[in-house]
Amino acid sequence: MSSLSDTEHRGRGHHGGRRQRFFGHGELRLVLLNILKDNASHGYELIKAIEALTLGNYTPSPGVIYPSLDLLQDQGLITVQEEDGGRKKIAITIDGARTLEENREQLEQIQARIKARMVGHELRKNPQMKRAIDNFKAVLDLKVNHGEISDAQLKQIIGVIDRAALEISQLD
């Protein structure tokens, strides 16, 4: 698939501010094709489908969705037909379905990553978990970014993090 516009790279959620990119290069287009494989849709419905897929953690703006749809249409992967009332019905083409199938493994990786992010999202809703994560990040930031840190101290910090991860992974 060809390159994305800068707007698709930004991955801003509906909460504003700069965030980690939600979808990588070409991923949003695969997600759109995957949604369209089941039913033809409208742009607003696609935005809502992605919002539902990410449990509200990411809502793509029209400025992200429509350029992606334009590119998919230019590539012959979707069709866009005007309906009465000016709405546009978007459907996947045979080439779009083939592209989706050729990229099935990448789509599965995207879906697994979304699911993993949603688990973290749900965990952070717990006030005690949120406090603990925020406390950890603040202490780590103070220690590593706001002072001199020796190689030995850095190794100790890495060891603490690795041991914590191991302990968490071994919980029943």
Side-chain angles (χ1 to χ4, degrees):
M1 299 182 104
S2 60
S3 69
L4 300 173
S5 67
D6 286 340
T7 54
E8 191 169 277
H9 280 290
R10 287 196 197 108
R12 291 176 189 239
H14 63 283
H15 301 294
R18 189 113 176 115
R19 293 183 140 189
Q20 181 182 6
R21 183 183 342 172
F22 204 92
F23 293 109
H25 181 76
E27 292 181 344
L28 178 59
R29 291 183 305 210
L30 283 177
V31 170
L32 289 168
L33 289 174
N34 192 52
I35 293 167
L36 290 168
K37 81 174 174 13
D38 295 324
N39 292 307
S41 193
H42 299 96
Y44 178 76
E45 292 166 342
L46 291 169
I47 290 170
K48 289 300 174 189
I50 291 171
E51 183 178 37
L53 179 70
T54 64
L55 302 178
N57 197 35
Y58 175 68
T59 305
S61 70
V64 170
I65 289 293
Y66 289 105
S68 297
L69 292 172
D70 289 343
L71 187 55
L72 288 169
Q73 184 178 17
D74 291 346
Q75 293 173 328
L77 304 179
I78 62 169
T79 59
V80 179
Q81 293 184 337
E82 191 122 357
E83 295 181 320
D84 292 337
R87 291 183 64 178
K88 295 179 179 180
K89 192 73 154 186
I90 304 155
I92 194 169
T93 64
I94 292 170
D95 286 343
R98 186 177 14 250
T99 296
L100 186 60
E101 189 54 40
E102 289 168 357
N103 291 280
R104 174 71 39 207
E105 189 174 310
Q106 184 183 4
L107 180 63
E108 288 170 1
Q109 291 171 357
I110 295 165
Q111 291 167 330
R113 194 178 70 239
I114 289 170
K115 185 176 180 182
R117 283 182 80 169
M118 295 310 97
V119 169
H121 178 72
E122 289 301 308
L123 277 176
R124 288 186 297 277
K125 286 183 179 179
N126 178 300
Q128 291 175 323
M129 179 63 78
K130 182 177 180 347
R131 180 207 46 80
I133 290 170
D134 289 345
N135 185 40
F136 175 76
K137 289 192 303 191
V139 168
L140 190 60
D141 182 59
L142 280 171
K143 195 67 169 171
V144 175
N145 295 324
H146 299 286
E148 292 295 317
I149 186 167
S150 69
D151 288 342
Q153 288 173 315
L154 185 59
K155 283 182 182 179
Q156 282 181 303
I157 291 169
I158 292 168
V160 167
I161 294 170
D162 285 343
R163 285 190 302 279
L166 180 63
E167 280 187 47
I168 292 169
S169 73
Q170 293 176 342
L171 293 174
D172 289 334

